[in-house]
Amino acid sequence: MKLSFSEFKNSNHKRLTLLGMSGVGKTHLAKLLSHQDKYFHYSSDYRIGAKYLNDKILGNIKNHVKQDKWLKDLLDKESISIQNHITFDNLSSVSTFLGKTGNPELGGTSIDTFIARQIMHLNAEIKTMLDVPQFIKKAKAQGFNHFINDAGGSLCELDNEQVYQTLSDNTVILYIRASKTNEIALIKRAQTHPKPLYYQANFLKHELDIYLQENQLIYIAQINPNKFVRWVFPRLLEHRKPKYEAIAKKYGYIIDNEDLYQCRSANEIFELIYRAMN
């Protein structure tokens, strides 16, 4: 049930789920709030990599290491070990595992492996979001008055009513809507630093078909992985925007990131949220 303005304002335990693309200001909001009070920061990407995909990530790394016979022998004899040193600030092991589909000679992943890992990520993200109530209890037991669920940009892609209802029942879902200027900046960043992304299966198939046709290619293995990410990102952004809006309309509230970046304190953040809830 969506928390009302008065319920949220009068609550001694502020609990938020931050919704939106990476780069819209979720970290900015979390840092401002943390300066005022004690917040438990729950990172979905960290939880996915540290818990639900950890074994798969390590298995993938070991398979690459074993391509070198000398390292394979050391690993098989347990003379060396491999660990996943994931942190809130360094999630590269997750993105490397997810990968980019396309030409293997250019660092691409085969489409079958890519789709399998996309499904793994989807299932892991669902479990991670359903873990939120459990972590709220843990946070309270550890003395944290407040809770921030820093959700990944692909939360809107889950299309899972159980997840959204669970988050709505336990937190205020806050969609940080990107301005046109911010969207341009996000697209520019994707052009200069193309990152692995999660795509819904139907969206991915549709976009790959268009890309192949536009570039007169026959096989996905001919695709330059980075070029595809640069090309598809603006289309993914447009694909996700109505999904974010729909979740916020049914389960949460909306603030604009231009307004968010005008905030310089936690009190100003809350005034912005209160206005959105009224």
Side-chain angles (χ1 to χ4, degrees):
M1 182 176 178
K2 192 154 86 167
L3 209 65
S4 70
F5 162 72
S6 59
E7 289 171 326
F8 182 70
K9 186 173 184 179
N10 296 325
S11 173
N12 293 323
H13 304 285
K14 301 291 194 291
R15 295 160 182 162
L16 297 169
T17 288
L18 305 182
L19 177 65
M21 294 290 286
S22 174
V24 295
K26 289 181 287 186
T27 300
H28 174 71
L29 185 152
K31 284 183 177 178
L32 281 181
L33 293 186
S34 297
H35 285 161
Q36 175 176 294
D37 213 333
K38 198 173 181 183
Y39 277 82
F40 186 97
H41 189 175
Y42 181 77
S43 167
S44 66
D45 288 335
Y46 173 83
R47 177 74 172 162
I48 287 169
K51 170 68 174 177
Y52 292 112
L53 290 184
N54 183 61
D55 290 344
K56 299 293 185 183
I57 288 169
L58 289 176
N60 181 50
I61 295 170
K62 288 176 182 179
N63 286 337
H64 280 276
V65 168
K66 286 182 177 182
Q67 292 177 19
D68 184 301
K69 185 180 182 305
W70 184 69
L71 290 174
K72 180 181 183 302
D73 289 342
L74 290 173
L75 194 62
D76 289 343
K77 293 174 183 176
E78 298 184 348
S79 300
I80 60 172
S81 63
I82 295 173
Q83 293 179 312
N84 177 19
H85 291 294
I86 187 172
T87 67
F88 279 19
D89 297 320
N90 185 354
L91 301 162
S92 58
S93 61
V94 180
S95 58
T96 299
F97 174 76
L98 197 57
K100 307 167 193 169
T101 194
N103 189 335
E105 294 182 1
L106 299 175
T109 303
S110 74
I111 188 60
D112 289 342
T113 298
F114 185 74
I115 290 174
R117 291 180 183 176
Q118 293 271 311
I119 294 170
M120 290 177 202
H121 189 280
L122 170 65
N123 293 331
E125 188 167 11
I126 289 171
K127 291 175 182 176
T128 295
M129 290 297 97
L130 293 177
D131 285 343
V132 164
Q134 164 194 342
F135 273 84
I136 288 175
K137 290 179 182 177
K138 285 184 178 181
K140 190 175 180 181
Q142 293 172 19
F144 289 90
N145 292 327
H146 311 298
F147 185 94
I148 293 177
N149 172 23
D150 189 353
S154 55
L155 176 59
C156 68
E157 305 270 28
L158 303 186
D159 288 350
N160 187 303
E161 295 301 315
Q162 182 187 4
V163 166
Y164 303 142
Q165 190 63 60
T166 297
L167 294 177
S168 179
D169 288 344
N170 291 275
T171 67
V172 167
I173 297 177
L174 195 63
Y175 168 38
I176 304 174
R177 181 167 53 194
S179 66
K180 287 298 179 184
T181 300
N182 185 230
E183 286 182 10
I184 292 169
L186 294 178
I187 292 170
K188 184 176 180 180
R189 186 181 68 177
Q191 301 302 308
T192 56
H193 297 88
K195 293 168 56 178
L197 296 163
Y198 172 80
Y199 312 96
Q200 285 187 321
N202 289 340
F203 173 84
L204 176 63
K205 182 181 184 307
H206 181 260
E207 299 305 315
L208 282 171
D209 288 344
I210 293 174
Y211 188 83
L212 289 171
Q213 185 175 2
E214 285 186 1
N215 291 274
Q216 299 181 327
L217 301 174
I218 300 173
Y219 306 112
I220 293 171
Q222 295 174 300
I223 291 175
N224 181 305
N226 285 332
K227 285 184 178 180
F228 176 72
V229 173
R230 293 187 184 106
W231 176 86
V232 80
F233 183 83
R235 304 165 77 92
L236 178 67
L237 183 59
E238 290 302 316
H239 169 72
R240 286 183 176 180
K241 282 161 58 177
K243 289 180 170 291
Y244 290 135
E245 295 274 353
I247 293 169
K249 183 177 180 181
K250 184 173 181 180
Y251 296 103
Y253 302 94
I254 301 173
I255 62 172
D256 291 311
N257 80 318
E258 284 189 345
D259 295 332
L260 172 60
Y261 276 110
Q262 297 299 314
C263 296
R264 293 294 176 264
S265 69
N267 287 336
E268 291 180 0
I269 291 283
F270 282 122
E271 286 302 319
L272 182 60
I273 296 173
Y274 296 154
R275 289 200 301 271
M277 298 180 80
N278 266 332

